């Protein structure tokens, strides 16, 4: 635990250093790059710091995970990283967009990778009232409600529902969203 905390602190420092660097860059008046470019560069730097941290012990991996979604049909992450020693995992999905769920609804559905296509195509016919999921679909490990802009939903499920030898994915089951809105569920120490 101490080891993990130390890594967290180190990663936090690295991130802080990143942020500080980009702030001083933007405040320099003779900076040639437009502010938006600087922001993009800084975001990808941050992403690579997180990625390299996850090799050893991800700072993103927790028993509580928050994922945002938006009106551009995107999740805020392509990965849900769960610490292997979590007993339960809690996932909160937020929707920072403005569109209603009938037009731009999002949920987080977790299945085995090989079950994804079947769950999506079966769910489509059940409509927005059933969150675009077949009721009691046993292939679904966990799923939030379908939410619209400004809403959120939180689910908690035992990590024992996931077989660590299997490959799991998460996605949004709203028709047409899965291509843009899916990612991997991974375990990290
Ligand atoms: Zn969606």
């Amino acid at each position: 635990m101490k080891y993990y905390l130390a890594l967290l602190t180190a990663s936090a420092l690295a991130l802080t250093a990143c942020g500080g660097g980009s702030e001083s860059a933007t405040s320099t008046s003779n900076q040639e790059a437009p502010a938006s470019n600087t922001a993009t560069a800084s975001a990808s730097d941050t992403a690579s710091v997180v990625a390299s941290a996850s090799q050893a012990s991800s700072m993103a991996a927790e028993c509580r995970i928050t994922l945002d979604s938006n009106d551009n049909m995107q999740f805020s992450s392509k990965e849900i990283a769960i610490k292997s020693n979590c007993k339960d995992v809690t996932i909160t999905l937020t929707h920072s967009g403005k569109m209603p769920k009938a037009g731009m609804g999002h949920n987080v559905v977790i299945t085995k990778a090989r079950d994804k296509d079947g769950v999506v195509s079966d769910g489509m016919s059940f409509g927005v009232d059933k969150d675009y999921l077949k009721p009691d679909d046993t292939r679904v490990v966990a799923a939030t409600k379908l939410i619209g802009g400004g809403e959120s939903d939180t689910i908690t499920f035992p990590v024992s529902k996931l077989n660590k030898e299997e490959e799991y994915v998460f996605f949004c089951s709203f028709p047409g969203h899965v291509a843009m809105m899916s990612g991997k569920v991974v375990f990290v120490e």
Side-chain angles (χ1 to χ4, degrees):
M1 196 56 183
K2 273 188 177 163
Y3 177 61
Y4 176 66
L5 282 177
L7 271 175
L8 254 187
T9 311
S11 307
L13 284 173
L15 284 173
T16 309
C18 247
S22 79
E23 270 169 30
S24 58
T26 35
S27 64
T28 308
S29 56
N30 63 359
Q31 178 75 20
E32 284 178 17
S36 63
N37 280 1
T38 311
T40 309
S42 145
S44 68
D45 285 352
T46 306
S48 66
V49 167
V50 171
S52 63
S54 78
Q55 313 265 309
S57 171
S58 176
M59 66 169 288
E62 292 293 345
C63 304
R64 305 181 72 87
I65 289 147
T66 299
L67 206 57
D68 186 44
S69 57
N70 61 28
D71 284 345
N72 295 321
M73 218 189 286
Q74 291 165 325
F75 282 130
S76 55
S77 174
K78 285 284 184 190
E79 189 175 276
I80 288 179
I82 301 170
K83 257 170 81 72
S84 329
N85 63 359
C86 293
K87 185 170 165 286
D88 296 308
V89 60
T90 298
I91 297 177
T92 297
L93 172 68
T94 59
H95 188 324
S96 58
K98 291 189 163 55
M99 294 175 69
K101 79 172 179 182
M104 186 53 73
H106 302 309
N107 56 5
V108 172
V109 182
I110 296 177
T111 68
K112 287 173 185 162
R114 58 189 148 93
D115 288 337
K116 179 173 86 170
D117 293 347
V119 168
V120 167
S121 62
D122 290 351
M124 220 174 274
S125 57
F126 286 91
V128 68
D129 294 343
K130 295 278 189 281
D131 295 351
Y132 291 110
L133 283 177
K134 186 171 101 178
D136 303 317
D137 190 330
T138 54
R139 295 167 297 183
V140 172
V141 176
T144 68
K145 288 189 305 192
L146 192 74
I147 59 169
E151 298 176 333
S152 73
D153 190 40
T154 298
I155 50 166
T156 298
F157 61 94
V159 173
S160 59
K161 286 185 85 173
L162 301 168
N163 173 352
K164 288 174 186 169
E165 307 302 312
E166 283 279 359
E167 202 183 317
Y168 290 89
V169 292
F170 70 97
F171 54 88
C172 172
S173 68
F174 192 100
H177 287 198
V178 67
M180 292 274 293
M181 302 185 76
S182 66
K184 284 184 174 181
V185 178
V186 298
F187 285 102
V188 294
E189 288 308 313

